[in-house]
């Protein structure tokens, strides 16, 4: 099951207790469903949990039953329909619309005065027309409706609730979306999916840890490259001093450093310093090595 499907499964566990919330959730479902008109209600979903919730939701909100239900055991696209004129008229009246008037559908804010009703409305909108991307891939949650005015009013509702959504027109639909993980976590918690919100937080922590490890590995690799390059340059300089006969004219301390490096070119400067008896400090060894390299440069000139 996709992450979006898991979220809808969790949302469908929300109890249907208050009629006001059932009305608000049904309003969200209908405004974000496939068809909601004077002639028909048609809701299509692939979520089995949402399909099980819908008849109970409409019974609680409107005391009506669907005229067409999916077959028992059906999977894939599950279709619910109401075409009975009296049922449709009752649904429109319960939602505060006048079935005698013909106008663009809009959000009835009179149904959303309480915060729990706002949450229920948004839950219905997500169940019918929402999706959220797996947080291990990227952060994206959206609500899509074919009703332009509804999309604008939903954006306004979310902003009034201190969210920062964005709207875009896509293929004839208005899409309200979020791309910041913190916003997605908050809205999923508000809708009734705290476990999904926690999963996003966990994914974010995992990404952060992975990025930290990658940065450290890259840094270690870069430091190793620098160490190898420095060792190679030192070996070349010491070989030049040896072949020119200059090395044997130098002090015993410098000759000892040169021999140690030529015999152990794979060691870092810190590791090489530990091989002396008594051990040298990294600063002391670095000073002597720089002097040898400088002598090799002068010999080359």
């Amino acid at each position: 099951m996709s992450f979006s499907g898991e979220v809808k499964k969790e949302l469908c566990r929300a109890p249907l207790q208050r009629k006001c919330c059932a009305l608000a959730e049904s309003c969200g479902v209908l405004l974000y469903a496939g068809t909601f008109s004077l002639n028909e209600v048609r809701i299509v979903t692939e979520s089995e949990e949402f399909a099980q919730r819908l008849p109970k939701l409409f019974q609680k909100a409107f005391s009506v039953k669907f005229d067409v239900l999916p077959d028992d055991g059906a999977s894939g696209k599950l279709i619910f329909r109401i075409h009975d004129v009296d049922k449709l008229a009752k649904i429109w009246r319960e939602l505060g619309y006048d079935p005698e008037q013909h106008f663009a559908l809009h959000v009835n804010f009179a149904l959303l005065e309480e915060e729990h009703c706002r949450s229920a409305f948004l839950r219905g909108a997500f169940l019918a027309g929402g999706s959220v991307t797996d947080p291990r891939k990227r952060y994206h949650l959206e609500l899509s409706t074919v009703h332009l005015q509804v999309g604008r009013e939903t954006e306004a509702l979310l902003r009034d609730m201190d969210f920062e959504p964005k709207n875009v027109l896509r293929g004839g639909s208005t899409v309200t979306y979020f791309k910041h993980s913190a916003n997605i976590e908050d809205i999923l918690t508000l809708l009734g999916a705290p476990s999904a919100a926690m999963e996003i937080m966990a994914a974010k922590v995992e990404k952060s840890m992975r990025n930290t490890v990658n940065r450290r590995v890259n840094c270690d690799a870069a430091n190793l490259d620098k160490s190898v390059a420095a060792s190679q340059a030192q070996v070349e300089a010491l070989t030049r001093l040896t072949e020119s006969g200059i090395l044997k004219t130098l002090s015993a301390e410098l000759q000892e450093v040169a021999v140690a490096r030529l015999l152990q070119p794979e060691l870092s400067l810190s590791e090489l310093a530990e091989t002396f008896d008594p051990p040298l400090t990294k600063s002391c060894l670095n000073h002597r090595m720089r002097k040898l390299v400088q002598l090799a440069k002068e010999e080359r000139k």
Side-chain angles (χ1 to χ4, degrees), residues 223-233 265-266:
N223 289 338
L224 180 61
D225 289 343
K226 290 180 182 178
S227 179
V228 170
S231 177
Q232 184 176 355
E266 75 284 357

Side-chain angles (χ1 to χ4, degrees), residues 55 85 103-104 125 139 149 155 172 176 184 230-231 237 239 250 252 263:
V85 175
F103 53 87
Y139 304 120
Q149 186 64 23
E155 180 188 11
T176 305
I184 297 174
S231 177
T239 300
L250 302 179
L263 291 175

Side-chain angles (χ1 to χ4, degrees), residues 3-4 16 60 128 168 201 216 245:
F3 182 71
S4 205
L16 294 170
K60 182 74 174 181
V168 66
M201 295 178 197
R216 288 180 177 175

Side-chain angles (χ1 to χ4, degrees), residues 16-178:
L16 294 170
Q17 295 176 336
R18 300 185 179 97
K19 179 174 180 178
C20 61
C21 288
L23 278 172
E25 184 174 328
S26 298
C27 183
V29 168
L30 290 167
L31 293 178
Y32 279 81
T35 303
F36 178 34
S37 68
L38 290 171
N39 302 315
E40 182 184 27
V41 162
R42 185 173 183 270
I43 302 168
V44 182
T45 181
E46 294 185 4
S47 169
E48 294 181 6
E49 291 75 21
F50 183 37
Q52 294 170 7
R53 183 180 181 83
L54 266 174
K56 301 172 187 176
L57 177 65
F58 273 53
Q59 183 64 38
K60 182 74 174 181
F62 311 116
S63 298
V64 300
K65 295 181 179 180
F66 285 95
D67 297 324
V68 177
L69 293 167
D71 295 332
D72 291 339
S75 60
K77 291 186 177 181
L78 307 174
I79 301 174
F80 295 78
R81 292 181 60 197
I82 296 176
H83 47 71
D84 182 270
V85 175
D86 293 333
K87 291 180 182 179
L88 292 169
K90 185 174 185 180
I91 290 172
W92 278 67
R93 284 194 301 270
E94 289 283 359
L95 294 180
Y97 301 127
D98 185 351
E100 300 301 322
Q101 296 182 8
H102 297 277
F103 53 87
L105 285 169
H106 63 91
V107 177
N108 184 359
F109 288 100
L111 297 175
L112 311 180
E113 293 180 354
E114 300 294 333
E115 184 175 345
H116 50 78
C117 291
R118 292 182 172 193
S119 299
F121 170 79
L122 293 169
R123 179 167 57 248
F126 184 85
L127 287 170
S131 64
V132 59
T133 304
D134 188 331
R136 291 170 294 183
K137 298 177 181 177
R138 61 190 179 101
Y139 304 120
H140 183 88
L141 181 148
E142 68 178 39
L143 304 171
S144 177
T145 176
V146 296
H147 307 295
L148 178 61
Q149 186 64 23
V150 170
R152 290 173 175 171
E153 290 174 344
T154 300
E155 180 188 11
L157 173 67
L158 286 163
R159 291 190 179 280
D160 189 55
M161 298 170 73
D162 296 326
F163 289 101
E164 297 181 358
K166 293 183 179 180
N167 259 8
V168 66
L169 291 175
R170 184 199 300 154
S173 296
T174 301
V175 179
T176 305
Y177 67 92
F178 298 91

Side-chain angles (χ1 to χ4, degrees), residues 231-249:
S231 177
Q232 184 176 355
Q234 291 163 6
V235 169
E236 290 176 358
L238 297 175
T239 300
R240 188 177 302 115
L241 290 176
T242 301
E243 291 175 348
S244 65
I246 295 177
L247 184 61
K248 62 184 179 182
T249 67

Side-chain angles (χ1 to χ4, degrees), residues 185 189 193-203:
E185 292 161 13
T189 301
S195 297
M198 288 294 294
E199 195 168 335
I200 292 176
M201 295 178 197

